[in-house]
Amino acid sequence: MSHRLGRMSKPTKVLLDESRIPRAWYNIAADLPAPAPPPLHPGTRLPVGADDLAPLFPASLIAQEMSSERYIAIPDDVVDVYRLWRPTPLVRARRLERALGTPARIYYKYEGGSPSGSHKPNTAVPQAYYNAQEGTRKLTTETGAGQWGSALAFACAQYDMECEVWMVRASYDQKPYRRSLMGVYGATVHASPSQVTEAGRGVLAAEPDSSGSLGIAISEAVEVAAASPDTRYALGSVLSHVLLHQTVIGEEAIEQLAVLGETPDLIVGCAGGGSNFAGLSFPFLREKLAGRMDPVVRAVEPAACPSLTRGTYAYDFGDTAGFTPLLKMHTLGHGFIPDPIHAGGLRYHGMSPLLSHMYELGMFEAVAKDQTECFEAGVRFARAEGIVPAPEPTHALAEVVAEALRCKESGEPKVILTALCGHGHFDLAAYDRYLRGEMQDFAIPQERLDAALAALPAV
Amino acid sequence: MSHRLGRMSKPTKVLLDESRIPRAWYNIAADLPAPAPPPLHPGTRLPVGADDLAPLFPASLIAQEMSSERYIAIPDDVVDVYRLWRPTPLVRARRLERALGTPARIYYKYEGGSPSGSHKPNTAVPQAYYNAQEGTRKLTTETGAGQWGSALAFACAQYDMECEVWMVRASYDQKPYRRSLMGVYGATVHASPSQVTEAGRGVLAAEPDSSGSLGIAISEAVEVAAASPDTRYALGSVLSHVLLHQTVIGEEAIEQLAVLGETPDLIVGCAGGGSNFAGLSFPFLREKLAGRMDPVVRAVEPAACPSLTRGTYAYDFGDTAGFTPLLKMHTLGHGFIPDPIHAGGLRYHGMSPLLSHMYELGMFEAVAKDQTECFEAGVRFARAEGIVPAPEPTHALAEVVAEALRCKESGEPKVILTALCGHGHFDLAAYDRYLRGEMQDFAIPQERLDAALAALPAV
């Protein structure tokens, strides 16, 4: 019809046809000069083997965790679910650029259009798929604010599997909407500590009003999974197979930037356990290692939980209670309880062992941000681009804004790419606090870090 | 790269490049055999003229309201904002089809990816644009649950205009997240009745604990707009220019179905004021009038607010208090207070005058649904397709499911198209009630309708 424009010369967003969903995950382990140090058994202090993990994870995921193959094919059935929301859009933030008056070109890869509103279904779906293939009838997991729990609940619904989630009591009471979302997808949700497990009952006996912790919730989910042969456990970040599944983000972004003829000068992602940051950056790091591009890659963590910028690279437990294998990672100490910032997804004492190893190799940079600066960037972004970001990616956006303003000073037209890993529709109470001027930042005195790090296990 | 599939033969969704954003709105008034009866001045009972509306609306919107031009060009600057989320995806609900075991092919046009999460920005943006063009500095409006208010708040932020919203007190207190969303976009939000207006103060003097109503909130917003020359008022549904702006939905859907070589047998949309239903169906009705396709078009309204299926076609006030022009429409009577169903966007006593006129002409059908059937369809949809629908479009989905099951009986492979006009992220408390078995349906005794209709104004 005549009332349409022809192809515009400067598109705002690049959408790919679903035939362009990546058909393989990229395993960066294949391209590292040395492998990451292995996890150690908490008892023997010897490297953990596949047999040790078998009660909790299906064989195919254990194989992926330990694989050094460069590409791992994505099963057709997983692609078929990815199709509901993938490929995700790559958007040029023209209105934000204009509001900042920067010569930088800012691109964001938006994962908030997924069923549960974040990047988490990218790994929840294959984890559910492989479990279903190997006869698992039920998956258990823990969740804090509920991003991971809702993604796994959705994924289990695709394979007619049960899903049982232990949600930290404080969040269960204060953030009922993500709990409701898990219920819509058919999951059973317990407030943790619960009466359902020995671990939970133990905590409640000692402290009937316990508001719970991620560490306790992990213990409950693992206990139930380990006790039944057709029940297994799923984790939403930190482990290498989780990071692997997220590489669809970066693979698509490479193709989308190529459509525009752009090459990133800077890639910025927020990092808690590390899966979102890895998902965006690993495929670009492959290109960098191959000499095809040369972006600076930068992780942004909360100043209240600065594992890369102020932690130690050492073996530590993955959970607070000390039940998990020992992981060589940048850690604040497994006893470190981060202050209650709103970016619940970044409140983890350690960093993914794979990313920690790569940080030691100098493959990326890290900076830390206070949350008020992050929410300021989040509001700025929402007013310009429409999308209200989750608190986690506001960390990346704060750094994007800072870099764009540096470009304004220097006149450099840098190409900046970031991952907008989720929307903030369930986090508006935090925005409210920010807008009312009631949001607090948290400084960590060095003595507090020293005390937490003094309790690292001897290896 | 070799790890990708070629173009798949049966895509799940059709995405259009942003160059395919429609460049004109379709004005169905041009193709009707007779014009809709005009609005009447509440005092004189004579047709309302442009001058009567000038204190509230800019001249360009008044011209659109009264236009009989078939196409009205969309300004480039509006297209530039549409680009943030348009064209929206057309998705085939393969997983829902499979879950139902139906031979029907079900397509949904998804508007929930817009900044405020519904179809409302399609009209909020042009309304803000034309106001900005004509020197308006501030827009006022009312909002119930907040869908419309948040869309207008976003739109005003694009044109550096102030936005002042009167939100019904009951929602203001019970649904704080949409209020927060308006705050993120920079709007000022008052609980209505407020102390800011004479209308609000009057209500509060008589009833200090008033929980408000849409009618009171309209009076407050209109009072403030009428009192200041650079302040105007904006409405989110019912009026013809609002329906006009929504036709981008149907225009895109026509193009997307053409990509697949599909022609709809049935088009289903939920209808409150009517803007979403009109936005999807008008362009298809144009094609039907021209003999290029022959879909059945069906509106779905709540059984608790059945203006089309149980109302009367008569002149009535648009608001509860009786301040607005008289509109010829299907109405339950302006004094009818719908029971508190969760689909707040469908709780309106009247239907758009343009749609009412077309209903009288036999151009579409209407059915009514109870909310528990709607939420059942919503949960079914969410588990299959991932997206949690807002309560309003669950009405359309309930009819889609019913039709798909009729197709299962008959073996007919009908092509069904619906508009999924928004996500339910701010409505999860309602899903919770449904899942706990605490959701109620409301029957309306005929005497209650008769009493409300007895109070229609004499014309």
Side-chain angles (χ1 to χ4, degrees), chain A residues 166 371 398 431:
Chain A
W166 277 263
Q371 68 175 350
Y431 276 95

Side-chain angles (χ1 to χ4, degrees), chain B residues 249-265:
Chain B
I249 302 173
E251 294 288 15
E252 289 176 6
I254 286 177
E255 184 163 341
Q256 288 165 312
L257 285 173
V259 169
L260 300 169
E262 291 277 40
T263 309
D265 297 305

Side-chain angles (χ1 to χ4, degrees), chain B residues 331-398:
Chain B
T331 179
L332 300 164
H334 63 280
F336 181 85
I337 309 286
D339 290 310
I341 55 167
H342 291 281
L346 306 182
R347 288 184 68 226
Y348 184 64
H349 68 274
M351 179 55 61
S352 138
L354 179 55
L355 277 170
S356 293
H357 176 58
M358 290 168 59
Y359 189 58
E360 288 298 305
L361 292 171
M363 294 178 71
F364 64 91
E365 307 175 349
V367 294
K369 295 276 177 192
D370 280 321
Q371 67 175 351
T372 51
E373 182 187 348
C374 299
F375 275 85
E376 185 188 353
V379 168
R380 205 162 199 172
F381 186 88
R383 289 184 186 174
E385 298 290 319
I387 296 166
V388 179
E392 292 80 2
T394 64
H395 286 72
L397 291 173

Side-chain angles (χ1 to χ4, degrees), chain A residues 1 3-8 10-13 15-24 71 80-81 83-84 86 95 98 115 154 157-158 177 179-181 183-186 251 255 379 382-386 388 423 425-426 428-429 431-432 435, chain B residues 1 3-8 10-13 15-24 71 80-81 83-84 86 95 98 115 154 157-158 177 179-181 183-186 251 255 379 382-386 388 423 425-426 428-429 431-432 435:
Chain A
M1 275 175 280
H3 55 280
R4 294 182 190 278
L5 267 189
R7 171 172 279 274
M8 280 176 273
K10 298 196 301 182
T12 291
K13 56 190 182 308
L15 306 175
L16 298 177
D17 195 78
E18 67 195 56
S19 68
R20 308 311 294 164
I21 294 172
R23 300 296 296 184
Y71 291 103
D80 200 53
V81 185
R83 217 172 283 200
L84 290 173
R86 304 211 69 85
R95 289 174 174 266
R98 209 178 305 159
F154 160 74
Q158 303 318 302
Y177 280 11
R179 160 163 58 93
S180 309
L181 183 56
V184 170
Y185 290 140
E251 294 288 15
E255 184 163 341
V379 169
R383 290 184 185 174
E385 298 290 321
V388 179
H423 63 65
H425 299 167
F426 299 100
L428 281 161
Y431 276 95
D432 240 10
L435 291 169
Chain B
M1 275 177 280
H3 55 279
R4 294 181 192 278
L5 267 189
R7 170 172 280 273
M8 280 177 272
K10 298 196 301 182
T12 290
K13 56 188 182 308
L15 305 176
L16 297 177
D17 194 80
E18 67 195 54
S19 68
R20 309 310 296 163
I21 294 172
R23 301 295 296 184
Y71 291 104
D80 200 53
V81 184
R83 214 173 286 199
L84 290 173
R86 302 211 73 83
R95 289 175 174 266
R98 208 178 306 159
F154 160 74
Q158 303 317 304
Y177 280 10
R179 160 164 55 94
S180 308
L181 183 56
V184 169
Y185 290 140
E251 294 288 15
E255 184 163 341
V379 168
R383 289 184 186 174
E385 298 290 319
V388 179
H423 63 65
H425 299 166
F426 299 100
L428 281 160
Y431 276 94
D432 239 11
L435 291 170

Side-chain angles (χ1 to χ4, degrees), chain B residues 109-167:
Chain B
K109 177 75 172 158
Y110 184 49
E111 295 290 310
S114 81
S116 63
S118 79
H119 66 297
K120 293 292 186 191
N122 295 334
T123 183
V125 171
Q127 288 194 50
Y129 168 80
Y130 289 116
N131 271 287
Q133 287 294 104
E134 296 188 33
T136 305
R137 302 278 296 275
K138 183 199 283 188
L139 278 176
T140 68
T141 198
E142 72 289 338
T143 199
Q147 279 283 16
W148 167 242
S150 54
L152 193 67
F154 160 74
C156 286
Q158 303 317 304
Y159 300 104
D160 287 323
M161 234 184 313
E162 283 182 66
C163 183
E164 200 165 352
V165 183
W166 278 262
M167 185 175 188

